Amino acid sequence: MAGLDPENWDALRALGHRMLDEMLDNVQNVASGPVWLPMPAAVRQEFRQAELPTQETPLTALYEQFAQSVVPYATGNRHPRFMGWVHGGGTAQGMLAEMLAAGLNANLGGRDHAPIEVERMVIRWAATMLGFPETATGVLVTGSSMANFIAVITASRAVEGGLDIRSHGLAGRRLVGYAAQTAHGCIARAFDMAGLGTQALRLVPVDADFRMDLAVLRQMVAADRAAGLEPFMVVGTAGTVDTGSIDPLAALADFAEAENLWFHVDGAFGAMARLSPDHASALAGMERANSIAFDFHKWAQTPYDAGCVLVREEGRQAAAFAQSLAYLSREDRGLAAGAPWFCDLGPDLSRGFRALKVWFTLASFGTERLGQMVSHCCAVARYLAARVQASPSLELLAPVTLNIVCFRVRAPGTDEDVLNGDLVKDLHESGVAAPSATIVHGKRAIRAAIVNHRTMEGDVDLMLETLLDLADKRLGTKLEREAA
Ligand SMILES: *Cc1c(COP(=O)(O)O)cnc(C)c1O
């Protein structure tokens, strides 16, 4: 019985080169196809009815099925006119790094090997990039959902007596935290998973610019303390998912310090704005946080998945996650040396080599170029906002802080919520562009998030032109394009 290596390495090599060439072609030419193509029912059935293979299938056949039945029907987030949600576009450089990482098949839970040093390097770079001390700890994870969860756990174990929660559970303690109503749903989910309960996350109202209202936060914390609860953390968002607004981070840092609260920043995509000279000042105060969660796979364009959590004070993260103090007395040499390990800083033991694609992304472009890319996305967003404001048939629904534009088609006398919801779906099915939909001030909004480094002004023009054509078709009229 042989192992699982190919019998014919030459044939495998030839197929591998073909895969690489074809995928590079596909990335290079991604803009020439539709953003999204609905999966035909027959293709879907191929997967739904496929049975567990008990025998061998040639890799060539599998690759052909991938090329025919998967590639054309992917999400489309690499395409310049994908503007939905907040998805990164990826890069060819990052794709190659993924291939190399898979070839090495390293497990980054721990032990003493070079891939671990690569992750330590990118964590140190991430800390520098976001204004944290080099001694900050951190770990790469699937995404900001997991990064925020790790931060909530770390913060709850940092309260007085908090380490007892690890062995005894909350045992009657009533910890409460705060985030703006505009915070991402994964913060509430983190409270849920941490056993604190979603009720323990107090949602603070926002002002007209969708920023956390500090006066109300102050009242809420005081009222909770008076009621015998234990406020322990406040979460500020740098770049909210609906409108891109930024909570008043510096004031939040002051408040957290005065109230002895853990200050966490969810900077899932927005943290990257620190690299843009035009936008860094909007994030002032983020560097004073106790912890930051952010993604490399969104605005930093690293291929999925790559999120990151950073914790300012050394030792806090291990105190919350390491399974015993034995981690400090691991072997002094040999493969089992080199503590602390990444498995001491989060829930995962076995972990892949995400750090390689993060390294290749940060180093092949450099932070200056990435900052320019962030500035470019924000400029395209402002261009879109200006076009919306110049059109009598369109309405801007929220201020544009970074790269997110919320707007809608005006059609007085019709149900504009229904119309705009339908138009987003029409656009998706047209294959021309893919914004998403959300609710802003109670109104159904079309939401364009310019996160993709490939998106240019012309893409915005084509999206608007197609949108208004689709609206004409639905309304049976010809909407005005430009103000007279
Ligand atoms: C995307 C996002 C998240 C969740 O991050 P994932 O990487 O999808 O897990 C959290 N917060 C904000 C503000 C986001 O934009």
Side-chain angles (χ1 to χ4, degrees), residues 196-435:
L196 298 162
T198 53
Q199 300 278 319
L201 178 67
R202 313 299 217 207
L203 293 180
V204 185
V206 293
D207 63 18
D209 290 338
F210 302 94
R211 295 155 52 95
M212 189 193 291
D213 187 330
L214 276 172
V216 182
L217 170 68
R218 207 175 289 280
Q219 290 162 10
M220 289 169 83
V221 171
D224 282 340
R225 284 204 203 281
L229 305 180
E230 281 186 79
F232 79 105
M233 90 183 291
V234 58
V235 180
T237 302
T240 58
V241 71
D242 271 341
T243 67
S245 62
I246 301 168
D247 284 331
L249 302 177
L252 273 177
D254 290 340
F255 177 76
E257 204 172 297
E259 292 281 332
N260 193 27
L261 301 174
W262 182 281
F263 176 36
H264 172 69
V265 172
D266 176 8
F269 68 93
M272 287 299 293
R274 198 167 193 275
L275 300 185
S276 155
D278 316 336
H279 295 91
S281 63
L283 300 180
M286 180 172 74
E287 72 289 347
R288 292 171 57 199
N290 295 98
S291 53
I292 303 179
F294 73 103
D295 281 317
F296 283 105
H297 59 212
K298 288 180 175 171
W299 225 349
Q301 315 295 337
T302 302
Y304 285 90
D305 51 26
C308 183
V309 61
L310 294 175
V311 177
R312 167 185 300 279
E313 196 187 329
E314 205 178 353
R316 286 286 179 204
Q317 217 182 332
F321 286 98
Q323 278 199 299
S324 73
L325 285 180
Y327 82 92
L328 288 173
S329 58
R330 287 211 179 99
E331 304 298 337
D332 58 344
R333 60 194 180 82
L335 188 50
W341 292 348
F342 285 107
C343 66
D344 301 317
L345 303 180
D348 292 318
L349 175 56
S350 293
R351 312 173 54 253
F353 196 3
R354 291 188 185 99
L356 187 68
K357 62 191 173 183
V358 173
W359 172 24
F360 276 27
T361 302
L362 288 175
S364 44
F365 305 110
T367 54
E368 279 184 20
R369 174 108 185 262
L370 291 172
Q372 286 159 7
M373 178 270 301
V374 164
S375 297
H376 165 81
C377 290
C378 294
V380 171
R382 284 195 303 275
Y383 172 78
L384 169 56
R387 286 223 44 197
V388 165
Q389 284 176 309
S391 168
S393 305
L394 299 170
E395 178 186 11
L396 191 66
L397 291 176
V400 176
T401 309
L402 292 172
N403 57 338
I404 296 183
V405 185
C406 291
F407 67 104
R408 65 171 177 168
V409 173
R410 295 303 319 276
T414 65
D415 186 331
E416 292 176 321
D417 287 340
V418 171
L419 174 71
N420 282 278
D422 283 336
L423 286 173
V424 167
K425 294 179 225 173
D426 291 349
L427 261 181
H428 292 177
E429 287 172 355
S430 76
V432 174

